[in-house]
Amino acid sequence: MNSPAGQKLPYWWLYCTVFLTGASVMVIELLGTRLIAPFYGASLYVWASLISVTMIALAIGYYAGGHWADHAKRTGLALIIALAGLLTLLIPWMTAPVLLATDSLGLQMGTFTSTLILFTPSLIMLGMVGPFAVKLATDSLSGVGASTGSIYAVSTVGSVVGTLLLGFYLFPRIGSREIFVGVGLGLFVLATLVAFFERKHISLRYSLIPVILLALPGVMLSPGGLSPSNAANLPANAVGHAAQPYQVRFERESLYGWVRVLDNSVANMRLLMADASTIGAASISHGENLMTYQKIVELIPRLAPGIERALLIGQGAGHMATDLLQFGITTDTIEIDPAVAEAAQNYFDFKPTGNHIIGDARYEIRKLQGSYDLIILDVFTGGAEPVHLLTEETLQQIDDLLSKRGILALNFVSFLDTGENIALASVGKTLAQVFMHQLIFISELGVDFNDFIFIASQHPLRIEDEQLSRTQQAWLESRLLTIDNSRGLILTDNFNPLEALQTRKSEHYRQLIVETVGTSQFVR
């Protein structure tokens, strides 16, 4: 990289530029999940859409950047970076209207289309930086290979650093909107510095003036980008409506989702939500649990007398652990999201009765010491599926923690489809690989979309027990279900298509939640 006069040019600034823009690409890509997930859920479709859109945008950027670099006379890197900054600052403003506009497209196309609209423009501009930098760093054909390799290597290192910085430091401390605004403003600062350094190639007035002109609206956009989108100002037919208004009592953005507590004083209902999933519901007046399926689980101590120690995987609002205490049962709880744990204690009066563990269940159960008389696996809500917690291998780990008379209770949300739902059959078939006996209960009678409670153990299970009243026995018997497991698949760590099998469930559940609390509760 020598000048015609044989003197070294200070190209260190060029490497700093591609390093920082490479980091910006990954920050925008990863932050995209936190803007899309509250509306469409944190599913595989969100990640697939973001990765695909990033690749599409970078490919377009590489191509366009190369042509621009070959033909540009009075524009350079500074303008490209400034445009990227402005387009990044527009993302928080555009999120609400774009998500609402794509809502009718369904889960898969809605996720992809909204991601394409929101993130493609800024990522295209950032993709253009690499080819332009190669052009500036190359003085002769003999050095083009080394220049290209160096530029893209430094950009990739920047992407790695940006990913680690966001995941390990920024996101646990700063909200996603604040980070978006910080990246946008940072790109304007970088563009100003680049305009100064590339003055050897482009007159400063041609490079700096466009940056300033773009920075002015960018700075004006910044304060609005720090606040959640006001969906209430959109047309009523665009946001939908809830039967009754909900008030936000608690809101926290965590590493795992957007956690909120919503109150409906008219209906006397308090909801605990993570992104677009309801993971707890109680009456405001008395704190009474309103989840019917949990009432089935709470009858297990009467089905299997002698339970002393339990484990609840997926604490949620903590009602089941609280209700088990009336039987003298100490319950350890595992909850992946510290924001959910905080909301449960402050708004649902949850008080741990055993060990209170914050972490991913698949990792944490490896460290636990059995034996438990009852393990409740309650993580398969209507929203995203943590499929790694429903495999033959996971169930085997759970069985290893159970006592000889231990019982597993697993809640699963799905359609019944007259007993022919493959996802539901797959749960039963996978459980049968580990447990010799199982009972299946349906939560709400006469409803196709439902909570299904699987009770599994290594010993026979009966609901005819003297500790159950006739009313309780009749109530359980009316919900007893038989499913043909032969239609199902055995879910393993190697092969687990559960999320794909549950696509219709996710779309239907999301529509039910929107009808309940209103679309405006899911746009930010």
Side-chain angles (χ1 to χ4, degrees), residues 339-416:
V340 170
E342 178 185 352
Q345 294 189 48
N346 294 338
Y347 294 91
F348 293 87
D349 299 324
F350 170 66
K351 294 180 177 60
T353 62
N355 295 323
H356 188 218
I357 303 168
I358 303 297
D360 187 279
R362 188 67 185 268
Y363 172 76
E364 296 296 339
I365 61 176
R366 295 204 307 267
K367 302 188 297 181
L368 292 176
Q369 299 295 321
S371 60
Y372 291 101
D373 304 306
L374 171 64
I375 295 179
I376 303 169
L377 183 57
D378 187 21
V379 295
F380 299 97
T381 65
E385 303 277 5
V387 296
H388 67 294
L389 295 181
L390 188 41
T391 66
E392 183 179 353
E393 291 85 351
T394 305
L395 295 175
Q396 186 60 62
Q397 287 180 299
I398 289 174
D399 184 44
D400 292 341
L401 291 174
L402 286 169
S403 63
K404 292 182 179 179
R405 300 287 297 175
I407 293 175
L408 168 66
L410 185 152
N411 178 58
F412 189 73
V413 179
S414 188
F415 287 95
L416 178 59

Side-chain angles (χ1 to χ4, degrees), residues 107-173:
L107 179 62
Q108 293 171 313
M109 283 305 300
T111 299
F112 180 78
T113 304
S114 58
T115 303
L116 192 70
I117 296 171
L118 287 171
F119 305 108
T120 299
S122 59
L123 291 174
I124 285 176
M125 302 312 299
L126 290 171
M128 293 173 66
V129 172
F132 219 106
V134 170
K135 177 76 172 182
L136 293 177
T138 305
D139 294 315
S140 65
L141 288 176
S142 62
V144 69
S147 298
T148 303
S150 299
I151 290 294
Y152 282 100
V154 171
S155 177
T156 302
V157 172
S159 296
V160 173
V161 172
T163 301
L164 296 175
L165 180 65
L166 177 68
F168 290 6
Y169 182 77
L170 289 178
F171 199 69
R173 295 167 174 82

Side-chain angles (χ1 to χ4, degrees), residues 24 62 73 79 93 103 136 211 264 285 289 291 297 301 304 334 343 347 349 418 432 440 493 496 501:
S24 299
Y62 295 154
K73 301 294 184 182
L79 176 59
W93 284 86
D103 187 28
L136 293 177
V211 171
N264 185 328
S285 57
N289 180 20
M291 296 284 200
V297 176
I334 299 178
Y347 294 91
D349 299 324
T418 63
I440 308 171
D493 287 345
N496 192 340
L501 294 174

Side-chain angles (χ1 to χ4, degrees), residues 46-283:
V46 172
W47 282 106
S49 296
L50 275 162
I51 293 171
S52 299
V53 165
T54 301
M55 295 297 101
I56 291 170
L58 291 179
I60 295 172
Y62 295 154
Y63 181 81
H67 278 268
W68 192 339
D70 284 340
H71 299 94
K73 301 294 184 182
R74 294 182 176 179
T75 57
L77 272 178
L79 176 59
I80 293 173
I81 296 170
L83 284 169
L86 180 62
L87 293 169
T88 300
L89 288 171
L90 282 172
I91 292 174
W93 284 86
M94 294 170 58
T95 299
V98 168
L99 290 176
L100 293 168
T102 60
D103 187 28
S104 61
L105 299 178
L107 179 62
Q108 293 171 313
M109 283 305 300
T111 299
F112 180 78
T113 304
S114 58
T115 303
L116 192 70
I117 296 171
L118 287 171
F119 305 108
T120 299
S122 59
L123 291 174
I124 285 176
M125 302 312 299
L126 290 171
M128 293 173 66
V129 172
F132 219 106
V134 170
K135 177 76 172 182
L136 293 177
T138 305
D139 294 315
S140 65
L141 288 176
S142 62
V144 69
S147 298
T148 303
S150 299
I151 290 294
Y152 282 100
V154 171
S155 177
T156 302
V157 172
S159 296
V160 173
V161 172
T163 301
L164 296 175
L165 180 65
L166 177 68
F168 290 6
Y169 182 77
L170 289 178
F171 199 69
R173 295 167 174 82
I174 306 172
S176 56
R177 288 179 170 273
E178 287 79 1
I179 299 173
F180 263 115
V181 171
V183 171
L185 294 178
L187 288 171
F188 276 120
V189 173
L190 178 61
T192 303
L193 295 175
V194 168
F196 174 78
F197 283 113
E198 68 176 350
R199 68 189 186 280
K200 293 182 175 66
H201 307 277
I202 302 172
S203 172
L204 190 60
R205 65 174 180 172
Y206 289 127
S207 59
L208 188 57
I209 291 176
V211 171
I212 295 173
L213 293 176
L214 290 171
L216 291 176
V219 171
M220 294 175 64
L221 286 171
S222 300
L226 294 172
S227 303
S229 302
N230 188 4
N233 292 329
L234 295 172
N237 60 353
V239 300
H241 64 279
Q244 302 292 346
Y246 279 81
Q247 176 188 7
V248 179
R249 293 292 307 277
F250 170 86
E251 185 175 19
R252 183 85 74 246
E253 186 176 29
S254 73
L255 285 172
Y256 303 100
W258 184 27
V259 179
R260 288 157 298 151
V261 175
L262 304 178
D263 275 3
N264 185 328
S265 57
V266 177
N268 191 29
M269 180 184 297
R270 173 169 293 172
L271 302 179
L272 176 58
M273 305 197 70
D275 287 333
S277 294
T278 301
I279 58 176
S283 65

Side-chain angles (χ1 to χ4, degrees), residues 292-465:
T292 303
Y293 80 88
Q294 293 186 5
K295 295 177 181 179
I296 295 175
V297 176
E298 290 157 9
L299 289 176
I300 293 177
R302 300 187 186 277
L303 290 175
I307 296 177
E308 297 180 354
R309 189 182 180 204
L311 171 66
L312 173 59
I313 301 174
Q315 170 200 297
H319 287 120
M320 284 190 284
T322 301
D323 290 335
L324 289 175
L325 185 60
Q326 66 180 304
F327 296 96
I329 299 171
T330 299
T331 305
D332 295 343
T333 57
I334 299 178
E335 173 56 55
I336 191 172
D337 197 329
V340 170
E342 178 185 352
Q345 294 189 48
N346 294 338
Y347 294 91
F348 293 87
D349 299 324
F350 170 66
K351 294 180 177 60
T353 62
N355 295 323
H356 188 218
I357 303 168
I358 303 297
D360 187 279
R362 188 67 185 268
Y363 172 76
E364 296 296 339
I365 61 176
R366 295 204 307 267
K367 302 188 297 181
L368 292 176
Q369 299 295 321
S371 60
Y372 291 101
D373 304 306
L374 171 64
I375 295 179
I376 303 169
L377 183 57
D378 187 21
V379 295
F380 299 97
T381 65
E385 303 277 5
V387 296
H388 67 294
L389 295 181
L390 188 41
T391 66
E392 183 179 353
E393 291 85 351
T394 305
L395 295 175
Q396 186 60 62
Q397 287 180 299
I398 289 174
D399 184 44
D400 292 341
L401 291 174
L402 286 169
S403 63
K404 292 182 179 179
R405 300 287 297 175
I407 293 175
L408 168 66
L410 185 152
N411 178 58
F412 189 73
V413 179
S414 188
F415 287 95
L416 178 59
D417 290 335
T418 63
E420 296 182 356
N421 187 295
I422 297 177
L424 201 60
S426 297
V427 176
K429 190 168 187 176
T430 305
L431 279 167
Q433 300 302 303
V434 179
F435 297 94
M436 295 179 63
H437 303 275
Q438 63 177 273
L439 295 175
I440 308 171
F441 298 92
I442 189 170
S443 177
E444 304 288 347
L445 297 178
V447 181
D448 192 48
F449 182 72
N450 229 306
D451 286 271
F452 298 89
I453 300 88
F454 292 78
I455 311 295
S457 73
Q458 303 296 3
H459 57 85
L461 296 165
R462 297 171 57 251
I463 61 175
E464 298 82 8
D465 193 278

